[in-house]
PDB file of all heavy atoms in Angstrom:
ATOM      1  N   GLU A  56      18.814 -16.097  -8.430  1.00  0.00           N
ATOM      2  CA  GLU A  56      20.159 -15.700  -8.647  1.00  0.00           C
ATOM      3  C   GLU A  56      21.142 -16.735  -7.973  1.00  0.00           C
ATOM      4  O   GLU A  56      21.064 -16.852  -6.671  1.00  0.00           O
ATOM      5  CB  GLU A  56      20.423 -14.232  -8.304  1.00  0.00           C
ATOM      6  CG  GLU A  56      21.908 -13.842  -8.703  1.00  0.00           C
ATOM      7  CD  GLU A  56      22.016 -12.418  -8.188  1.00  0.00           C
ATOM      8  OE1 GLU A  56      21.573 -11.967  -7.100  1.00  0.00           O
ATOM      9  OE2 GLU A  56      22.700 -11.618  -8.894  1.00  0.00           O
ATOM     10  N   LEU A  57      21.986 -17.392  -8.623  1.00  0.00           N
ATOM     11  CA  LEU A  57      22.832 -18.364  -8.022  1.00  0.00           C
ATOM     12  C   LEU A  57      23.741 -17.778  -6.944  1.00  0.00           C
ATOM     13  O   LEU A  57      23.959 -18.287  -5.917  1.00  0.00           O
ATOM     14  CB  LEU A  57      23.772 -19.024  -9.100  1.00  0.00           C
ATOM     15  CG  LEU A  57      24.748 -20.045  -8.652  1.00  0.00           C
ATOM     16  CD1 LEU A  57      24.030 -21.159  -7.821  1.00  0.00           C
ATOM     17  CD2 LEU A  57      25.435 -20.567  -9.918  1.00  0.00           C
ATOM     18  N   GLU A  58      24.217 -16.620  -7.230  1.00  0.00           N
ATOM     19  CA  GLU A  58      25.084 -15.797  -6.201  1.00  0.00           C
ATOM     20  C   GLU A  58      24.358 -15.648  -4.902  1.00  0.00           C
ATOM     21  O   GLU A  58      24.954 -15.700  -3.850  1.00  0.00           O
ATOM     22  CB  GLU A  58      25.582 -14.508  -6.867  1.00  0.00           C
ATOM     23  CG  GLU A  58      26.713 -13.838  -6.038  1.00  0.00           C
ATOM     24  CD  GLU A  58      27.119 -12.582  -6.649  1.00  0.00           C
ATOM     25  OE1 GLU A  58      27.407 -12.655  -7.839  1.00  0.00           O
ATOM     26  OE2 GLU A  58      27.224 -11.547  -6.018  1.00  0.00           O
ATOM     27  N   SER A  59      23.071 -15.166  -4.961  1.00  0.00           N
ATOM     28  CA  SER A  59      22.392 -15.014  -3.774  1.00  0.00           C
ATOM     29  C   SER A  59      22.124 -16.230  -2.967  1.00  0.00           C
ATOM     30  O   SER A  59      22.068 -16.307  -1.763  1.00  0.00           O
ATOM     31  CB  SER A  59      21.071 -14.348  -4.056  1.00  0.00           C
ATOM     32  OG  SER A  59      20.089 -15.094  -4.636  1.00  0.00           O
ATOM     33  N   ILE A  60      21.815 -17.387  -3.676  1.00  0.00           N
ATOM     34  CA  ILE A  60      21.736 -18.675  -3.014  1.00  0.00           C
ATOM     35  C   ILE A  60      23.078 -19.079  -2.257  1.00  0.00           C
ATOM     36  O   ILE A  60      23.033 -19.538  -1.183  1.00  0.00           O
ATOM     37  CB  ILE A  60      21.359 -19.745  -4.075  1.00  0.00           C
ATOM     38  CG1 ILE A  60      19.911 -19.490  -4.520  1.00  0.00           C
ATOM     39  CG2 ILE A  60      21.419 -21.144  -3.429  1.00  0.00           C
ATOM     40  CD1 ILE A  60      19.479 -20.370  -5.634  1.00  0.00           C
ATOM     41  N   GLU A  61      24.217 -18.845  -2.964  1.00  0.00           N
ATOM     42  CA  GLU A  61      25.458 -19.192  -2.366  1.00  0.00           C
ATOM     43  C   GLU A  61      25.760 -18.256  -1.102  1.00  0.00           C
ATOM     44  O   GLU A  61      26.261 -18.711  -0.133  1.00  0.00           O
ATOM     45  CB  GLU A  61      26.572 -19.032  -3.458  1.00  0.00           C
ATOM     46  CG  GLU A  61      26.556 -20.219  -4.427  1.00  0.00           C
ATOM     47  CD  GLU A  61      27.518 -19.905  -5.558  1.00  0.00           C
ATOM     48  OE1 GLU A  61      28.091 -18.857  -5.849  1.00  0.00           O
ATOM     49  OE2 GLU A  61      27.654 -21.009  -6.403  1.00  0.00           O
ATOM     50  N   ARG A  62      25.289 -16.930  -1.166  1.00  0.00           N
ATOM     51  CA  ARG A  62      25.531 -16.009  -0.123  1.00  0.00           C
ATOM     52  C   ARG A  62      24.639 -16.525   1.120  1.00  0.00           C
ATOM     53  O   ARG A  62      25.042 -16.549   2.252  1.00  0.00           O
ATOM     54  CB  ARG A  62      25.037 -14.650  -0.444  1.00  0.00           C
ATOM     55  CG  ARG A  62      26.204 -13.809  -1.021  1.00  0.00           C
ATOM     56  CD  ARG A  62      25.755 -12.323  -1.059  1.00  0.00           C
ATOM     57  NE  ARG A  62      24.391 -12.025  -1.497  1.00  0.00           N
ATOM     58  CZ  ARG A  62      24.041 -11.759  -2.810  1.00  0.00           C
ATOM     59  NH1 ARG A  62      24.940 -11.634  -3.756  1.00  0.00           N
ATOM     60  NH2 ARG A  62      22.851 -11.430  -3.218  1.00  0.00           N
ATOM     61  N   PHE A  63      23.420 -17.044   0.812  1.00  0.00           N
ATOM     62  CA  PHE A  63      22.531 -17.567   1.795  1.00  0.00           C
ATOM     63  C   PHE A  63      23.206 -18.766   2.480  1.00  0.00           C
ATOM     64  O   PHE A  63      23.228 -18.921   3.718  1.00  0.00           O
ATOM     65  CB  PHE A  63      21.184 -17.975   1.122  1.00  0.00           C
ATOM     66  CG  PHE A  63      20.368 -18.799   2.112  1.00  0.00           C
ATOM     67  CD1 PHE A  63      19.523 -18.094   3.043  1.00  0.00           C
ATOM     68  CD2 PHE A  63      20.279 -20.130   2.069  1.00  0.00           C
ATOM     69  CE1 PHE A  63      18.767 -18.756   3.906  1.00  0.00           C
ATOM     70  CE2 PHE A  63      19.490 -20.746   2.967  1.00  0.00           C
ATOM     71  CZ  PHE A  63      18.612 -20.071   3.974  1.00  0.00           C
ATOM     72  N   PHE A  64      23.782 -19.580   1.776  1.00  0.00           N
ATOM     73  CA  PHE A  64      24.522 -20.745   2.295  1.00  0.00           C
ATOM     74  C   PHE A  64      25.644 -20.355   3.173  1.00  0.00           C
ATOM     75  O   PHE A  64      25.795 -20.796   4.368  1.00  0.00           O
ATOM     76  CB  PHE A  64      25.223 -21.711   1.277  1.00  0.00           C
ATOM     77  CG  PHE A  64      24.289 -22.785   0.814  1.00  0.00           C
ATOM     78  CD1 PHE A  64      24.023 -22.968  -0.567  1.00  0.00           C
ATOM     79  CD2 PHE A  64      23.595 -23.611   1.631  1.00  0.00           C
ATOM     80  CE1 PHE A  64      23.263 -24.119  -0.985  1.00  0.00           C
ATOM     81  CE2 PHE A  64      22.849 -24.757   1.195  1.00  0.00           C
ATOM     82  CZ  PHE A  64      22.609 -24.828  -0.046  1.00  0.00           C
ATOM     83  N   LYS A  65      26.600 -19.379   2.611  1.00  0.00           N
ATOM     84  CA  LYS A  65      27.621 -18.942   3.508  1.00  0.00           C
ATOM     85  C   LYS A  65      27.239 -18.268   4.792  1.00  0.00           C
ATOM     86  O   LYS A  65      27.838 -18.553   5.805  1.00  0.00           O
ATOM     87  CB  LYS A  65      28.465 -17.921   2.717  1.00  0.00           C
ATOM     88  CG  LYS A  65      29.402 -18.585   1.588  1.00  0.00           C
ATOM     89  CD  LYS A  65      30.130 -17.638   0.904  1.00  0.00           C
ATOM     90  CE  LYS A  65      30.782 -18.322  -0.302  1.00  0.00           C
ATOM     91  NZ  LYS A  65      31.494 -17.411  -1.189  1.00  0.00           N
ATOM     92  N   LYS A  66      26.165 -17.578   4.748  1.00  0.00           N
ATOM     93  CA  LYS A  66      25.730 -16.910   5.941  1.00  0.00           C
ATOM     94  C   LYS A  66      25.125 -17.807   7.044  1.00  0.00           C
ATOM     95  O   LYS A  66      25.348 -17.728   8.197  1.00  0.00           O
ATOM     96  CB  LYS A  66      24.529 -15.978   5.570  1.00  0.00           C
ATOM     97  CG  LYS A  66      24.121 -15.018   6.717  1.00  0.00           C
ATOM     98  CD  LYS A  66      22.969 -14.074   6.193  1.00  0.00           C
ATOM     99  CE  LYS A  66      22.544 -13.117   7.422  1.00  0.00           C
ATOM    100  NZ  LYS A  66      21.462 -12.245   6.898  1.00  0.00           N
ATOM    101  N   HIS A  67      24.607 -18.874   6.548  1.00  0.00           N
ATOM    102  CA  HIS A  67      23.880 -19.940   7.505  1.00  0.00           C
ATOM    103  C   HIS A  67      24.666 -21.189   7.786  1.00  0.00           C
ATOM    104  O   HIS A  67      24.233 -22.064   8.552  1.00  0.00           O
ATOM    105  CB  HIS A  67      22.554 -20.266   6.947  1.00  0.00           C
ATOM    106  CG  HIS A  67      21.614 -19.119   6.964  1.00  0.00           C
ATOM    107  ND1 HIS A  67      21.465 -18.167   5.966  1.00  0.00           N
ATOM    108  CD2 HIS A  67      20.778 -18.659   7.887  1.00  0.00           C
ATOM    109  CE1 HIS A  67      20.539 -17.252   6.221  1.00  0.00           C
ATOM    110  NE2 HIS A  67      20.161 -17.605   7.461  1.00  0.00           N
ATOM    111  N   ILE A  68      25.936 -21.200   7.234  1.00  0.00           N
ATOM    112  CA  ILE A  68      26.633 -22.530   7.530  1.00  0.00           C
ATOM    113  C   ILE A  68      27.735 -22.312   8.556  1.00  0.00           C
ATOM    114  O   ILE A  68      28.390 -23.267   8.840  1.00  0.00           O
ATOM    115  CB  ILE A  68      27.362 -22.885   6.097  1.00  0.00           C
ATOM    116  CG1 ILE A  68      27.584 -24.430   6.154  1.00  0.00           C
ATOM    117  CG2 ILE A  68      28.563 -22.134   5.814  1.00  0.00           C
ATOM    118  CD1 ILE A  68      28.000 -25.068   4.820  1.00  0.00           C
ATOM    119  N   GLU A  69      27.747 -21.180   9.060  1.00  0.00           N
ATOM    120  CA  GLU A  69      28.961 -20.893  10.061  1.00  0.00           C
ATOM    121  C   GLU A  69      28.917 -21.887  11.224  1.00  0.00           C
ATOM    122  O   GLU A  69      29.973 -22.309  11.681  1.00  0.00           O
ATOM    123  CB  GLU A  69      28.770 -19.485  10.517  1.00  0.00           C
ATOM    124  CG  GLU A  69      29.271 -18.398   9.437  1.00  0.00           C
ATOM    125  CD  GLU A  69      28.954 -16.987   9.872  1.00  0.00           C
ATOM    126  OE1 GLU A  69      28.563 -16.739  11.135  1.00  0.00           O
ATOM    127  OE2 GLU A  69      29.262 -16.085   9.154  1.00  0.00           O
ATOM    128  N   GLY A  70      27.666 -22.113  11.820  1.00  0.00           N
ATOM    129  CA  GLY A  70      27.597 -23.042  12.981  1.00  0.00           C
ATOM    130  C   GLY A  70      27.619 -24.515  12.568  1.00  0.00           C
ATOM    131  O   GLY A  70      27.511 -25.277  13.564  1.00  0.00           O
ATOM    132  N   ILE A  71      27.716 -24.862  11.327  1.00  0.00           N
ATOM    133  CA  ILE A  71      27.614 -26.256  11.015  1.00  0.00           C
ATOM    134  C   ILE A  71      29.138 -26.805  10.714  1.00  0.00           C
ATOM    135  O   ILE A  71      29.817 -26.210  10.038  1.00  0.00           O
ATOM    136  CB  ILE A  71      26.771 -26.443   9.754  1.00  0.00           C
ATOM    137  CG1 ILE A  71      25.367 -25.969   9.964  1.00  0.00           C
ATOM    138  CG2 ILE A  71      26.749 -27.915   9.227  1.00  0.00           C
ATOM    139  CD1 ILE A  71      24.567 -25.958   8.744  1.00  0.00           C
ATOM    140  N   GLN A  72      29.313 -27.939  11.430  1.00  0.00           N
ATOM    141  CA  GLN A  72      30.706 -28.603  11.175  1.00  0.00           C
ATOM    142  C   GLN A  72      30.533 -29.678  10.123  1.00  0.00           C
ATOM    143  O   GLN A  72      29.605 -30.507  10.334  1.00  0.00           O
ATOM    144  CB  GLN A  72      31.181 -29.038  12.447  1.00  0.00           C
ATOM    145  CG  GLN A  72      31.625 -28.120  13.507  1.00  0.00           C
ATOM    146  CD  GLN A  72      32.257 -28.611  14.679  1.00  0.00           C
ATOM    147  OE1 GLN A  72      32.168 -29.840  14.889  1.00  0.00           O
ATOM    148  NE2 GLN A  72      32.849 -27.764  15.517  1.00  0.00           N
ATOM    149  N   VAL A  73      31.309 -29.614   9.204  1.00  0.00           N
ATOM    150  CA  VAL A  73      31.299 -30.787   8.190  1.00  0.00           C
ATOM    151  C   VAL A  73      32.343 -31.888   8.620  1.00  0.00           C
ATOM    152  O   VAL A  73      33.499 -31.533   8.940  1.00  0.00           O
ATOM    153  CB  VAL A  73      31.635 -30.217   6.790  1.00  0.00           C
ATOM    154  CG1 VAL A  73      31.630 -31.390   5.728  1.00  0.00           C
ATOM    155  CG2 VAL A  73      30.753 -29.147   6.357  1.00  0.00           C
TER     156      VAL A  73
END
Side-chain angles (χ1 to χ4, degrees):
E56 186 182 37
L57 180 57
E58 186 176 313
S59 72
I60 292 172
E61 290 174 347
R62 274 195 312 267
F63 173 79
F64 269 134
K65 286 179 184 175
K66 183 175 181 182
H67 292 88
I68 201 166
E69 292 175 357
I71 300 173
Q72 291 183 348
V73 179

